[in-house]
Every structure is written in C-alpha cells, then in structure tokens.
Amino acid sequence: MVGVTGQQRRAVHLTHWGAAEIESDGRRLTSVRPWREDPAPSRILENLAGAHRHPARVDRPYIRRGWLEHGPGAAARGSDVFVPVSWEMAVDLLAGELRRVYGTHGPDGVYGGSYGWGSAGRFHHAQSQLHRFLNCLGGYVRSVNTYSHGTSSVLLPHVVGNEVVVMAGATAWPVIAEHTDLIVAFGGLSPKNSAVAPGGIGRHVMGSALASAVARGCRLVSVSPLRGDTDTSLGAEWIAPVPGSDAAMMLALCHVLDCDGLADRCFLDRYTVGYPRFAGYLRGEADGVPKTPEWAAALTGIPAERVRALAREMAAGRTLVTVSWSLQRAKHGEQPVWLGLVLAAMLGQIGLPGGGFGHGYGSTGDVGNPRRMSAPRLSQGANGIDSWIPVARIADMLMQPGAGYDYNGQRRRYPDVKLVYWCGGNPFHHHQDLARLREAFARPQTVVVHDPFWTATARHADIVLPSTMTVERDDIGAGSNDSTLFAMPQLTEPYAQARDDYTAFSALAGRLDAAEAFTEGRTAGQWLRHMYGEWSSDLKTAGHEMPPFEQFWADGWLQIPVPDPHQVLLADFRRDPGRFPLSTPSGKIEIFSAAIDGFGYRDCPGHPVWLEPAEWLGGPPGRYRLQLVANQPRRRLHSQLDVGAYSQEGKIGGREPAAMHPADAAARGITDRSLVRVFNDRGSCLAGVTLSEDVRPGVVQLSTGAWYDPDPDDPSFCRHGNPNVLTADRPSSALSQGTTGQLAMVEVEPYDAVPPEISVHRPPQTAEPAPGEP
Ligand code: PGD
C-alpha cells in the first residue's frame, strides 16, 4: 500500500481516532482522507495536517534557564525562560541528573507513572518506551489504574471479576443489533467518545449497530444531562436526571422490580450473593427510607411514574443496562456501576444474548468489539521495585511525601519522589484542580518531559525533549481491542530536530551503561520485525498463519483473528457457574461484598447505596448554582492536536465552547456565542457560550482539552477554557482513589472586558542558545 515517488509518499496510517489514507511531499501532509474501509470515520482526522507543522511543536531540546544555571530545583518552574540546547548537551545533562538521582535516592526517587495515551503504534508507544528505559536503570515509582475508569477497575474485580472480563468481554455489537429490545444507557452511548479508542480503531461500528437495532425495533433510553450523549437521529428517549444522581434512579428501578415481584429470584439465587441484604436496604429496613421512585424523584428530578413504568418495561423484554465510564469519574463513582450490575442481575438476563450489563459502550470505540487474539507488543522488562500510587493521586504524592492514605483495603504511604519523568501524557490536561497541580509540580527537584508539542506539562518541565509524531516514524499499530493491525510507515521527515522516544532513550541508555539492555542491539526497524515475528509465531502455535512481515508491510494491514465474533458477556458463567466461576471471592456476582464491607469505608460500604455527592445541584444552596459537566471533547482526543483545524473551528472567540440552557443564560444576562467567565473557589476560566435546549437546565457543559493557558499572575485562571481549573482534586472513595473530574459546581457570568490574548498555541519564551551551542 506504500507508494514512494521521490519524496512523495502515500500510505494508510493509524491514529487513536481512526485510520487514514495519507499523502505527503516528504515534509508536509498534503492529503489526509479517511481509510476507505471505515464506515463512519471521525472528523478528528482533520486536525492532523495543520498540527503536524504547527509552531507549537517543540523544535529542539530545551532546558529551563533556572535549572541550567543553578542545577536541580523548582524556582520559577512553569514561568521561566527555556534555553535551546543541542541533543548532545541535553542527553549529557539528563544522563548526569538520572545518575545523581538514582545514585542518591534509588528508583524510589523517580516517578515514571507518566499516565497518558501517547499515540497509536505498538513500538513507539511512549509509556512502554519510558517504562522499559527506567526499568533498565533499576525501576521507578509507577501508577496503577487510569483516569478513564480508575474507580470501576478497582470495584469490578470485587463484584464481577477482572474489569477486562466486562470491557474486552462485552457482548458484541452484532448480538445487540440482533437481540436487544431495550437499551437503558446511563451516561448515554456517546458518538463522540466511540470515535476514539486507545491504540487506534480500524472500523467505527457502533453507529451502524445501533441503527440496525433500532430498525429492528429496539428502543433506546438515554439517561444523561446532555441529549447529545446518544445519537439524536436514533430517536432515543432522553431522561435527564440531576448529574450525579443516577444511583438514586437505579435504586428506585431496583425497588420497583423488588416490590412488583419482577426480580428474577432464580437468577439471583444461582448466580449472585448478598441480594437479601441489599433488598433490605431497598425496602428501608436498615435506615427507614424505602428507595421508592418518589424518594428518588426528590433527588433526580425525574417523575416517579416514569421510573416506575421504565422498571416494568425493562422486565418485559430483553434489556441491556449500560453504564458509561463518565459516571464513575465522580464522587462515589462506584455506586452507579455496581447498581447497573445489580439492576441487570435482578432482571436475570446476564449471560443471555443482548441482555444483561455493559460498562463502557460509547465510552470508547472498542467496547462492543469482540475480543481479538493478541497483537505485537514491546516488552517493558521488569521493575526492580514495587512502589506505586493510584494514578489520580499524583498531586497528593508530590505535596505530601510520606503521608498515609487508604486504597482498596490497604493503608499505604506516598513515596518521596525527587524526579518526575513524563513521556506520552499531559497531566496539565488530565488532572483536576490545576492550580493545585502547579503547586505540586513545584516540589520535585527535576521534571523531564518528552512531547511533540509545547503542552502545559512541557512548560512546567526543566528538560524538554522534542518527540516525533507517528507520521514521522515507522511503526505497527492496533487498538487495544481492535482487530485490524496496521503498518504505519513513516510519511515525512521529523519536524526540525524532533527524535522518536526510542532514539532519545537509546542515547540516554548509552550514557548510563544500559544501551545493550535497552536496545538489545536492534534498530527501530529491527524491533518492528522482531515484535511481528514473535507475535506471528505465537499465533501460528495457536493455529493461525500470519503473512511474513514484508508482505504485511506491503499490504498495509491485516486482520487479527477473532475467536468468537458473536461473544456474549458471561455466557459461560451462566451456562455453568460451577465450571466457569467468576474471579470474585464467592465465584458469583457480589451484590454484597464481604471484602469491601470488611474495609469499613464510609464512602463505599459493602453493597451499593445512595451517597450524596460532595458538591452537586441537589446540595444546600450556595454561591455556585450550576453543575459543570467536564466531559470528553468532540473535536479532538483529550488535549491532542488542539491546534488542529477541526478543534480550532469549534472555538468561540478563540475560547473553548461551553453549552448551557437558554433559561440559565437568560437569568444571567448571557447571550449566544458571547464570552463568559466560569468560576468557583478553585479557579476560573474563559469560555464561549452556545445555548442549547439539549442541555438539562442547571447544567453547563465544558469539554476537557483546551490547552491550559494560565494568567501569569493567577495560575487558577485559564484564559483558554480548560475546565480542570474548576474540578476538585478529590478522590471518588477510599476504595479506589479515582478521579472525580467529571462534575463540579460552578457559576457563570458574562465577560465584558477585553479578552486577554491566548499564548499557549505559541512556544514559550526562549533565550539565546547556551554558550558554545549551535
Ligand atoms: P492526552 O491529551 O491524550 O491526555 O489524559 P492524557 O494525558 O492521556 O495526552 C497525551 C500526550 O502525549 C499529548 O501531549 C501528546 O502530544 C503526547 N504524545 C503523543 N504521541 C507521543 C509520542 O510518541 N511521544 C511522546 N513523548 N508524547 C506523545 C487523558 C485523560 O484525561 C483521560 S484518558 C481521561 S478519560 C480523563 N477524562 C477527564 C474528564 O472526563 N474530565 C476531566 N475534568 N478530566 C479528565 N481527565 C482525564
């Protein structure tokens, strides 16, 4: 599929948001069109060409002036000038610093948790490269769980087994299209989120699967404060509860099933433990409060009659209960996930085609793909230490070394980290309460960042190394649960002095006597062939013949075998729970978990319950009367390629768009497409308002991913519209310590002053090259 004429190049390439047919003149991308085999490509592809040569790329290595002149230390980090240096000098200084920190503090002094999606590509995967490199030096403090589903991935092993069982094992779309009568989707089935998948996505199929289900007569009920969380063309019923109150609505649905004798007692007896205790809670035996639809209505704002009728509709046919990842990115985020599972268990359809429970449909494009066989991978080696933090506790770790905290039944302590190494992630995008994160980033002695772009994280580093983008290097790519493996041939020369992370780490490893361990004597091209060779021989052992590498490279892609294209979640367990027990303590679905109960956490007891969020619309009246929903953006992936054309086209006056209901806007004197200030006690940001009746009254929606552009005098004020200046750095619970970035209380007011200039799409201030440097 690769055609090279002089400098002209043409190939199919993979991104997290889809495959594309790309042409280049060897330097610039001259055409980016969707892969012809993709039935529903994403417009996020339109960001690629413009971002690729944008001045916001990091053009060469830089060292922060204060660090260069005075050595390790944080003074002026985040506001200092950057000094351009040669690769030679950057590698020398960084190798020296790594030698110092490892020598003085050991691997416990180095944080390499470095969360982030990086780019598609199995070899140049930034996290894998960093972890492999640091493992060669003795190891590093790592992070566990994710910002995507960090709360549910701690809960689910207790109550249904490993989260992979639920997500990669989800009932496949074709089965849903054929069998499901009713989908009740808490958090919706978001078309924008299913456009992306970690590692890439070949064919976008959710939309067509849902359209065929609907054409057959399947009904959709979308429970979300935003109508657009389910494709409006599918005719879904929209139920818009107060954000954060889904658990109350679910309890009311359970209450109706219980009261009306609609709960499937045979299923509950055979496949679950703990129902009687939960039913006692539903009926109000313990706290005197029956969880009736009327009780829930006061919390959710949803009429009791609609909830009562919905419970009966759910019991009347084949029903799939789905819960999006966004619902667990909130205080007490375990509860709606656990309750979705319990609701499906009460309906007795778990393990049946098209019925039961799902978590993550519409949260990413690969949930609903049947599980494929493995893909080629790069070994990360072995970490010499076992020190880690739950990923969303990064600021706590940096600010309170040695402090104790609870996590999943353990009492743990934060390590004392001296050097932070980030490669392939953007914490000043993904973390909450950015002003606090900035304080936290002022604690370590040294911060190192590799990134293709001058992200806010790069601007808070001491040493910045410029990485290539995927189109500037050879790789092979497949999404984590996507069945197309793509060749990803290099399409252009690297931008300025950018190098791929492998080359940078190889040079560092060379200075640190770790070259052989890190590279094993292979070039990047040899690694691709090696990884492919190992993988194809494993598949051959399993009875699947893959083409030789050179043929795969010439063809451009191949299909990874999928053992069961019509997989149904937990079908084996349903058939024979004795032979196929779950990996929970009881081997069954745990409606009551003795393990969780034994931890004694007030914010996550032994069975799912209603717990009031820390801040929400239903709370006592206060200064901030609007609920912020800080969800995933439609026009880019997270913060990636925010400088691209499609992302920029959505801005209003250069600021991120914020959607609100016309009534809320009118009450505040706000007009359509005007600039506003969104604020609370933690921070504030500018945004450009769009008015929409598709937003529940009382809610303002501002997506994540506008690059954080702090006012120089007030880092809690973002001039561009990053909602994470507003969100709380507060864990979901002591069980999981997950992020709660989805929801926060805010107020919005017109912004009538002359808007400040946005500076974050330009490089930061730089100095003359260091003496003796070109
Ligand atoms: P990205 O913007 O994808 O965000 O957080 P994440 O940190 O993953 O950052 C990836 C970075 O990697 C980019 O800066 C990109 O330029 C860089 N990169 C790409 N390719 C390469 C490469 O080859 N080498 C190197 N060195 N760098 C590379 C996402 C996180 O945000 C996630 S997953 C979720 S689900 C969370 N969602 C929310 C939310 O819903 N609400 C709020 N408020 N906050 C959230 N934050 C979380």
Side-chain angles (χ1 to χ4, degrees):
M1 215 36 199
V2 189
V4 180
T5 322
Q7 290 298 305
Q8 303 293 315
R9 290 170 183 230
R10 177 166 51 82
V12 172
H13 201 78
L14 184 62
T15 72
H16 288 309
W17 43 94
E21 299 181 16
I22 303 185
E23 292 175 24
S24 88
D25 60 10
R27 194 163 169 276
R28 288 180 179 274
L29 304 179
T30 49
S31 163
V32 179
R33 278 167 301 146
W35 184 39
R36 65 197 63 178
E37 306 250 341
D38 185 350
S42 163
R43 288 194 63 193
I44 299 177
L45 285 171
E46 292 170 31
N47 288 329
L48 199 55
H52 174 232
R53 297 271 136 173
H54 193 278
R57 290 285 304 266
V58 186
D59 60 347
R60 59 182 297 174
Y62 286 90
I63 299 189
R64 187 172 68 73
R65 184 158 66 191
W67 195 96
L68 189 63
E69 290 177 356
H70 308 296
R77 185 178 290 144
S79 55
D80 207 349
V81 169
F82 283 93
V83 182
V85 297
S86 62
W87 270 100
E88 184 75 8
M89 181 168 173
V91 167
D92 274 347
L93 288 173
L94 177 50
E97 176 61 356
L98 286 166
R99 199 177 296 111
R100 181 188 75 81
V101 175
Y102 273 94
T104 317
H105 306 283
D108 296 283
V110 177
Y111 181 69
S114 178
Y115 179 80
W117 273 42
S119 287
R122 309 283 298 182
F123 174 67
H124 290 291
H125 181 238
Q127 303 298 328
S128 305
Q129 290 289 344
L130 173 65
H131 296 159
R132 184 179 166 86
F133 169 68
L134 294 178
N135 283 339
C136 291
L137 304 187
Y140 60 94
V141 177
R142 63 198 165 89
S143 59
V144 298
N145 309 325
T146 63
Y147 279 78
S148 297
H149 44 74
T151 293
S152 53
S153 57
V154 179
L155 170 77
L156 290 171
H158 290 289
V159 301
V160 71
N162 186 336
E163 78 272 13
V164 176
V165 168
V166 174
M167 295 193 241
T171 298
W173 285 119
V175 180
I176 294 169
E178 192 179 337
H179 295 279
T180 308
D181 298 321
L182 174 65
I183 303 178
V184 181
F186 291 91
L189 295 163
S190 169
K192 67 176 170 52
N193 298 346
S194 70
V196 305
I201 179 164
R203 297 171 181 84
H204 292 85
V205 297
M206 183 180 91
S208 57
L210 287 173
S212 347
V214 168
R216 188 188 38 79
C218 172
R219 251 179 2 98
L220 305 182
V221 175
S222 182
V223 184
S224 165
L226 309 172
R227 188 196 290 270
D229 271 347
T230 298
D231 183 346
T232 46
S233 72
L234 294 168
E237 176 187 350
W238 180 34
I239 295 181
V242 167
S245 72
D246 299 69
M249 179 171 160
M250 290 165 162
L251 281 165
L253 291 166
C254 292
H255 187 273
V256 177
L257 297 180
D258 181 62
C259 267
D260 288 11
L262 294 172
D264 185 334
R265 297 306 303 231
C266 295
F267 184 93
L268 292 167
D269 289 347
R270 184 154 192 236
Y271 299 102
T272 73
V273 293
Y275 182 69
R277 195 150 166 179
F278 173 71
Y281 170 76
L282 278 182
R283 294 169 200 154
E285 286 163 12
D287 58 3
V289 183
K291 310 302 173 299
T292 61
E294 286 71 19
W295 163 82
L299 300 165
T300 62
I302 305 303
E305 273 328 297
R306 182 64 202 110
V307 171
R308 193 164 274 115
L310 180 61
R312 292 169 186 156
E313 291 159 28
M314 291 169 80
R318 187 60 56 84
T319 297
L320 180 64
V321 179
T322 71
V323 181
S324 67
W325 294 347
S326 51
L327 261 60
Q328 50 87 68
R329 249 178 253 136
K331 193 72 194 163
H332 312 130
E334 292 86 355
Q335 307 308 318
V337 179
W338 202 348
L339 281 164
L341 176 71
V342 171
L343 193 48
M346 291 176 76
L347 293 169
Q349 298 179 14
I350 292 175
L352 292 179
F357 173 68
H359 181 43
Y361 291 109
S363 299
T364 174
D366 59 0
V367 173
N369 283 346
R371 196 190 291 213
R372 57 148 167 79
M373 298 193 76
S374 68
R377 60 181 295 275
L378 174 71
S379 163
Q380 297 185 9
N383 195 330
I385 60 168
D386 185 23
S387 176
W388 49 268
I389 58 162
V391 69
R393 301 277 51 83
I394 173 76
D396 287 0
M397 174 191 77
L398 294 174
M399 294 175 92
Q400 303 159 25
Y405 65 98
D406 292 306
Y407 170 79
N408 201 12
Q410 304 168 30
R411 185 74 191 157
R412 301 182 55 83
R413 294 207 170 278
Y414 290 117
D416 189 359
V417 157
K418 307 294 180 193
L419 183 146
V420 169
Y421 208 132
W422 227 287
C423 180
N426 187 2
F428 280 87
H429 155 68
H430 66 231
H431 195 63
Q432 286 54 67
D433 197 346
L434 293 181
R436 182 170 187 262
L437 183 69
R438 207 169 126 112
E439 279 178 44
F441 259 64
R443 303 296 169 96
Q445 295 169 353
T446 296
V447 177
V448 187
V449 169
H450 298 200
D451 205 290
F453 290 90
W454 275 113
T455 62
T457 305
R459 290 163 203 257
H460 285 83
D462 304 310
I463 300 177
V464 180
L465 298 184
S467 301
T468 51
M469 291 175 71
T470 60
V471 290
E472 297 162 353
R473 60 201 187 206
D474 285 339
D475 210 338
I476 47 183
S480 56
N481 192 33
D482 194 273
S483 62
T484 314
L485 180 72
F486 289 89
M488 299 170 61
Q490 181 179 353
L491 285 152
T492 73
E493 65 191 31
Y495 178 74
Q497 294 183 31
R499 292 185 184 171
D500 59 62
D501 298 310
Y502 179 67
T503 306
F505 287 129
S506 300
L508 284 165
R511 301 285 204 289
L512 293 163
D513 303 323
E516 179 54 32
F518 181 69
T519 67
E520 295 180 23
R522 294 188 187 95
T523 63
Q526 288 165 338
W527 269 109
L528 298 187
R529 283 159 183 81
H530 173 73
M531 286 163 57
Y532 185 91
E534 280 194 325
W535 168 74
S536 55
S537 94
D538 286 352
L539 257 66
K540 189 169 183 173
T541 311
H544 300 279
E545 191 74 47
M546 293 293 116
F549 181 84
E550 302 307 335
Q551 188 188 328
F552 156 67
W553 197 254
D555 290 348
W557 71 87
L558 57 72
Q559 290 309 130
I560 303 174
V562 173
D564 176 11
H566 292 93
Q567 90 187 12
V568 172
L569 176 71
L570 300 183
D572 287 346
F573 169 65
R574 185 180 185 105
R575 207 174 311 119
D576 190 344
R579 197 162 149 233
F580 301 104
L582 303 181
S583 56
T584 56
S586 61
K588 297 184 179 187
I589 294 168
E590 302 221 347
I591 294 175
F592 176 83
S593 161
I596 294 178
D597 189 56
F599 300 155
Y601 299 141
R602 287 174 52 181
D603 54 8
C604 190
H607 63 72
V609 294
W610 164 251
L611 294 167
E612 194 167 324
E615 51 182 276
W616 71 307
L617 274 179
R623 276 181 72 202
Y624 309 118
R625 296 306 306 144
L626 291 171
Q627 179 94 55
L628 171 73
V629 176
N631 59 356
Q632 300 296 317
R634 182 163 66 89
R635 290 175 173 268
R636 61 185 171 261
L637 166 71
H638 311 141
S639 70
Q640 294 200 30
L641 313 190
D642 187 27
V643 291
Y646 186 51
S647 182
Q648 289 300 313
E649 199 184 285
K651 309 264 175 182
I652 296 172
R655 325 287 148 163
E656 191 64 15
M660 60 193 295
H661 193 275
D664 291 325
R668 290 165 175 79
I670 292 168
T671 52
D672 196 26
R673 299 193 69 78
S674 63
L675 282 197
V676 292
R677 191 175 79 99
V678 189
F679 61 98
N680 62 18
D681 284 343
R682 288 176 289 269
S684 60
C685 66
L686 297 185
V689 159
T690 58
L691 301 185
S692 170
E693 303 216 332
D694 290 346
V695 176
R696 184 195 195 284
V699 168
V700 53
Q701 176 267 326
L702 176 62
S703 293
T704 60
W707 288 2
Y708 171 53
D709 195 5
D711 182 293
D713 300 321
D714 176 9
S716 72
F717 173 49
C718 173
R719 298 173 287 194
H720 186 194
N722 186 322
N724 275 329
V725 291
L726 302 157
T727 53
D729 188 2
R730 196 187 278 139
S732 48
S733 73
L735 180 79
S736 54
Q737 296 286 353
T739 175
T740 58
Q742 192 72 16
L743 303 174
M745 289 303 287
V746 297
E747 207 22 274
V748 182
E749 65 183 13
Y751 188 81
D752 296 326
V754 176
E757 201 195 341
I758 295 174
S759 67
V760 75
H761 293 149
R762 294 194 309 266
Q765 201 189 343
T766 55
E768 289 299 307
E773 289 285 290

